[in-house]
Amino acid sequence: MASPRIVQGPEPLLRTQCELGEGCVWDTRVQRLYFLDILRHRVYTYEPSSGIWGFETFSEPIGCIALREDGEGLIAAALHTFVFIPSSSLPFPPTSSTTPRPLEHLTPPIPRALHAQTARFNDGACDARGAFLCGTIGKDEEREDGVMWMLEPLEGGRRVEDVQGAQGVGEGEMGDENAGGSVRTRKLLDGCNAPNGAGWSPDGKTFYWTDSRKGTIFTFAYDPYTSALDLLSRKVFHCTAPPYNGTPDGLCMDDQGGIWSARWQDSRVVRFAPDGTVTDEVRFPHCGNMTCCVFGGPDLDELYVTSASSRVSGDHVGRFLEGGDVYVVRGLGYRGVERGRYRG
């Protein structure tokens, strides 16, 4: 078996010093990068053409964001519910204000019985049908209290602006078919520990899904036309073992079906071929926690990578002074695929 190609990561592109940088998405329509600092409740915007970057602060931690197919703004998973962030709350240039902006809830919260053991929503992605999948992370690392939820796409050409307010949210709890409201949710998978990076094969029929606390990337058979997840098809795609330390975190896909996995407490991003072979490693010697990655740029051939401070993982900062910064890696020879957008 051939050894993987080793690429040394560059100096940080943006010295953001996030506590928990995460959730990067690239908008091909406006050529901008969006990413998060979850613990500081921030959504960042970066425009390479102008070099302008900054953030907005919100009233809740935001674990995951998705672009929209039919409008501006972002769909997001916040503390215990899905929310809409209109473009008016993401001005450009960003204000970088620490004053929290309110969030517009789209759905009822997760069931009350889960509140005590649920920390917040974490990572996810949109499928080809326009559904938004995102999982909750449990507070207790030893328990499997996390749940993977799906925010259904809107039918009949409706948009989230049409279902805002109390009529859109409805009453009751997430996943309750009797809760009312116009935006539906359903539970896909429970027994999760720390749901994280997700993506699909080029044909949309294989779902790659990370559970970070289990140190594992799983695959499931998936129906791209109905968003049906075949629970009985679950297989282990990758399980952390030497020479790899830490755990898999966020991921993205390239146009060859490759899986790029950011590594928490491992200072690198790893590319897996569809057969599970490691083909490439990008190493970041001055950053311990790589959290998420996405291809961007005009040709989707630049890999953007977010990171977290070593203080968050309980490690001594030491030589990892770049923890929390954002990187861009050029010249890898791969092209990404645009992330799915929420339909509505």
Side-chain angles (χ1 to χ4, degrees):
M1 182 181 297
S3 299
R5 177 182 64 157
I6 307 299
V7 177
Q8 295 301 319
E11 294 291 311
L13 170 72
L14 304 177
R15 302 256 181 197
T16 49
Q17 287 291 287
C18 295
E19 287 190 58
L20 183 54
E22 267 284 6
C24 47
V25 297
W26 176 262
D27 190 337
T28 57
R29 297 176 186 175
V30 298
Q31 295 292 299
R32 290 175 185 166
L33 178 76
Y34 297 97
F35 60 97
L36 308 170
D37 186 342
I38 295 176
L39 299 184
R40 290 182 177 141
H41 304 190
R42 293 176 180 175
V43 177
Y44 280 81
T45 306
Y46 167 60
E47 184 179 72
S49 63
S50 65
I52 294 173
W53 63 276
F55 61 84
E56 304 302 329
T57 305
F58 292 89
S59 57
E60 298 178 25
I62 297 170
C64 183
I65 53 177
L67 301 169
R68 298 174 61 204
E69 182 62 44
D70 303 313
E72 297 180 340
L74 301 171
I75 304 299
L79 185 63
H80 289 154
T81 187
F82 289 99
V83 300
F84 172 46
I85 305 176
S87 56
S88 59
S89 293
L90 293 169
F92 194 84
T95 66
S96 295
S97 170
T98 57
T99 301
R101 294 175 178 265
L103 289 166
E104 301 181 17
H105 291 194
L106 286 174
T107 65
I110 61 173
R112 293 175 182 83
L114 300 179
H115 283 202
Q117 62 260 39
T118 301
R120 55 174 170 78
F121 269 99
N122 199 39
D123 206 352
C126 286
D127 68 10
R129 179 172 157 261
F132 186 22
L133 285 66
C134 192
T136 56
I137 187 170
K139 294 179 180 177
D140 188 337
E141 295 187 7
E142 302 302 319
R143 293 170 55 91
E144 297 180 340
D145 292 325
V147 175
M148 177 68 74
W149 295 93
M150 175 183 290
L151 181 70
E152 293 278 10
L154 295 177
E155 304 293 340
R158 292 182 304 150
R159 304 165 73 237
V160 292
E161 290 88 347
D162 303 326
V163 298
Q164 289 175 253
Q167 182 178 1
V169 173
E171 302 293 337
E173 300 175 339
M174 189 177 295
D176 180 1
E177 292 299 321
N178 298 315
S182 301
V183 186
R184 298 294 184 180
T185 57
R186 59 178 156 121
K187 182 190 293 187
L188 286 184
L189 179 67
D190 54 16
C192 310
N193 197 313
N196 220 313
W200 286 264
S201 59
D203 64 3
K205 295 181 179 180
T206 299
F207 178 55
Y208 295 92
W209 174 75
T210 306
D211 193 324
S212 289
R213 288 177 183 161
K214 295 178 181 179
T216 303
I217 302 173
F218 296 95
T219 61
F220 294 84
Y222 197 86
D223 187 332
Y225 303 103
T226 64
S227 302
L229 185 70
D230 183 354
L231 300 181
L232 297 179
S233 69
R234 180 163 69 174
K235 297 178 181 178
V236 172
F237 176 76
H238 163 76
C239 189
T240 299
Y244 299 101
N245 303 308
T247 57
D249 203 307
L251 65 77
C252 69
M253 310 295 295
D254 64 37
D255 64 359
Q256 299 177 32
I259 301 93
W260 294 78
S261 174
R263 310 288 299 191
W264 181 262
Q265 292 185 301
D266 197 23
S267 300
R268 52 185 149 185
V269 175
V270 176
R271 180 188 186 269
F272 299 95
D275 65 1
T277 303
V278 176
T279 63
D280 300 79
E281 294 181 12
V282 185
R283 297 181 176 177
F284 302 86
H286 302 297
C287 184
N289 297 317
M290 318 317 297
T291 57
C292 194
C293 52
V294 69
F295 280 95
D299 297 317
L300 290 179
D301 59 355
E302 302 172 351
L303 187 70
Y304 287 88
V305 184
T306 56
S307 68
S309 168
S310 290
R311 290 184 293 271
V312 176
S313 55
D315 298 321
H316 179 61
V317 174
R319 63 187 175 91
F320 297 135
L321 297 177
E322 296 173 2
D325 291 343
V326 176
Y327 303 83
V328 62
V329 187
R330 300 184 172 95
L332 289 170
Y334 294 95
R335 290 172 59 98
V337 292
E338 185 176 4
R339 285 190 186 270
R341 293 172 177 260
Y342 179 71
R343 196 180 77 218

